[in-house]
Amino acid sequence: MAFPFDLLDLVLPEIATWMAGKSSSEKRRFRRAGLGLLLLGVLFAVCAFVFPKVATWAFNSLEWAYFMTFLFSGCGLGLLACIWYDQKKHIKSSDEGQT
């Protein structure tokens, strides 16, 4: 679990800290960060689709607005995929240890 999450802590520590709440669990922190990034990306996409003039004003072009939605959503999905993979890996390694 160390590699992808430690790398994210170096790049975006404020997102993980902001969404951590009072939980000390790394998995819960990164799940919240992943969901937050994914929801923020979806919110950007909806706003850019519904209010294209506002998105153009905020990002200087509609293409940049959609690119930002892609980045936010992709990072959120990446975090959630890392958590899912870590859980599957942990379950598989604990099953192998019991046999």
Side-chain angles (χ1 to χ4, degrees):
M1 181 164 98
F3 171 67
F5 298 125
D6 289 342
L7 186 62
L8 180 73
D9 245 355
L10 291 174
V11 178
L12 300 169
E14 62 275 357
I15 291 175
T17 304
W18 175 60
M19 296 182 170
K22 296 184 184 277
S23 173
S24 60
S25 169
E26 276 190 7
K27 286 183 183 179
R28 189 171 293 154
R29 275 184 26 203
F30 288 112
R31 184 178 298 121
R32 287 180 183 168
L35 285 174
L37 285 170
L38 179 63
L39 291 176
L40 193 58
V42 169
L43 181 69
F44 278 172
V46 169
C47 288
F49 185 72
V50 174
F51 305 111
K53 289 185 180 185
V54 174
T56 304
W57 171 79
F59 296 103
N60 291 330
S61 74
L62 201 55
E63 291 81 16
W64 275 110
Y66 285 122
F67 181 68
M68 292 302 292
T69 64
F70 172 73
L71 286 179
F72 275 75
S73 300
C75 289
L77 284 174
L79 269 175
L80 294 175
C82 288
I83 291 170
W84 176 79
Y85 176 75
D86 184 60
Q87 287 175 349
K88 294 292 182 186
K89 182 178 154 187
H90 180 69
I91 290 170
K92 187 176 180 180
S93 66
S94 67
D95 287 344
E96 289 174 358
Q98 291 178 356
T99 58

